[in-house]
Amino acid sequence: MTSSLSYRQQGLLLTGGGALVMSPDALLIKLAGLPDAEILMWRGLLSALGFLLIVVARHGRGTLHAYRRCGWTGIGVALLFSMTTCGFVLGNQYTRGGNVLMILAGAPLIAAALSRVFLNERLPRRTWLAIGLCMVGISLIVIDDAGVGSLLGNSFALLAATTLAINFTLCRTRPGVDMSPMLTFAGLIVGVGAGLAVTSGGQFSMPPWDRLWLVVLLCLVIVPLGVTLLQRGPLYLPAAEVGLLLLLEVVVGTLWMWWILGERPTPLAFTGGGLVLATMLAKGLYERRLEMRYRAALPG
């Protein structure tokens, strides 16, 4: 199917699809209601299995080669994503969710700065404008939940945003190399580390059956599928644009919380979500128009 799509369109489809798949993440974590160390353990170990199954399904006998291609850069990606996971979960534990989202919304700007300095990637003005408008929109979504917060929690959220931006930028240093297989090791790092913390406390217990299926759905299906799609985004798009599309997860995730838990967004949240979606739609339509003009101008 992707053969009829342009290189850029494939990137938009992969990254946007990954953000939408990941949109119920916060909702399912809340519904599962497990302590942070336990949800990190399950998330790490089950997602590692899910990532491995995806790699095997995609590469078959070439699975080992897919891992080897990633090299030392892949190891860096695995370490960075494990820190992103821990920062996101622990940030939500020690400060308000609005604070975490506000800080994560800065990931596209961090990625843009890193790409400009280290990769000399120049972004068009429309992308900078879209980043700015989307950050305004995300700010409106979480403004009622934003507070002074905990310094520790805000630091964890900043860790998540920064390592995510570095991750996507690092992937751009190896054009054409798919780093998503290394997510298997990121899951193992998180799962084993959290598992040691849980077992050392002597308080480990299996989740109740009515919560276990939520944990399996999230950690074995949603996280591996969604993050694999997101991690492939830098193959096609600048790191800043991958981060920009991630903001779809925040907007759609807010709608999930409203629909399932009855946490009705405020008028400001509706306005912010509408601004993010309208900005991305306008940017996508404009760039599609530019692409069609470019193709029409090609000879033959």
Side-chain angles (χ1 to χ4, degrees):
M1 182 185 71
T2 56
S3 59
S4 62
L5 300 176
S6 70
Y7 201 69
R8 178 176 180 77
Q9 286 172 337
Q10 292 179 49
L12 294 173
L13 185 62
L14 287 170
T15 309
L20 292 177
V21 170
M22 288 296 294
S23 62
D25 190 359
L27 170 67
L28 293 179
I29 288 177
K30 195 166 187 177
L31 289 175
L34 298 180
D36 288 324
E38 290 189 22
I39 192 63
L40 277 173
M41 181 188 71
W42 289 112
R43 188 185 184 101
L45 296 178
L46 288 178
S47 67
L49 175 60
F51 289 131
L52 177 61
L53 292 175
I54 290 175
V55 176
V56 172
R58 289 181 58 214
H59 298 281
R61 294 181 178 179
T63 295
L64 187 59
H65 177 66
Y67 284 103
R68 285 178 173 172
R69 286 189 69 201
C70 298
W72 288 103
T73 303
I75 294 175
V77 167
L79 291 172
L80 287 165
F81 190 75
S82 65
M83 289 189 282
T84 300
T85 300
C86 293
F88 177 77
V89 174
L90 296 176
N92 277 285
Q93 172 65 18
Y94 293 105
T95 190
R96 293 186 177 187
N99 293 35
V100 176
L101 293 176
M102 184 81 76
I103 294 170
L104 283 177
L109 284 177
I110 299 173
L114 291 173
S115 297
R116 182 69 183 90
V117 172
F118 293 104
L119 304 180
N120 200 29
E121 285 189 343
R122 295 180 179 272
L123 296 177
R125 291 181 181 179
R126 61 180 180 274
T127 299
W128 287 107
L129 177 61
I131 290 174
L133 289 175
C134 285
M135 289 194 67
V136 171
I138 294 297
S139 299
L140 292 177
I141 291 175
V142 302
I143 195 170
D144 288 339
D145 190 32
V148 175
S150 160
L151 177 60
L152 180 61
N154 291 338
S155 298
F156 277 127
L158 182 59
L159 172 68
T162 303
T163 53
L164 188 64
I166 297 174
N167 177 1
F168 291 148
T169 305
L170 183 62
C171 289
R172 297 287 290 178
T173 66
R174 295 284 304 279
V177 178
D178 180 10
M179 294 292 170
S180 63
M182 299 304 294
L183 296 171
T184 306
F185 298 103
L188 287 175
I189 293 170
V190 173
V192 171
L196 291 174
V198 170
T199 54
S200 65
Q203 298 179 345
F204 172 74
S205 61
M206 288 290 292
W209 287 108
D210 61 339
R211 297 182 184 182
L212 183 60
W213 75 271
L214 292 174
V215 174
V216 173
L217 173 63
L218 173 63
C219 302
L220 186 60
V221 180
I222 290 178
V223 170
L225 178 58
V227 176
T228 295
L229 292 173
L230 290 172
Q231 191 67 55
R232 286 174 55 79
L235 285 170
Y236 303 87
L237 301 171
E241 294 205 43
V242 176
L244 183 62
L245 285 166
L246 274 173
L247 300 184
L248 279 174
E249 179 184 346
V250 178
V251 177
V252 179
T254 300
L255 297 178
W256 276 112
M257 302 290 281
W258 176 31
W259 182 34
I260 303 298
L261 299 181
E263 295 185 0
R264 182 181 177 85
T266 65
L268 276 178
F270 272 117
T271 303
L275 178 59
V276 172
L277 293 176
T279 298
M280 291 187 171
L281 178 61
K283 182 175 181 292
L285 291 175
Y286 179 74
E287 290 178 343
R288 173 61 176 166
R289 186 177 178 183
L290 290 179
E291 187 173 11
M292 291 178 67
R293 286 183 179 177
Y294 174 77
R295 288 186 175 184
L298 291 176

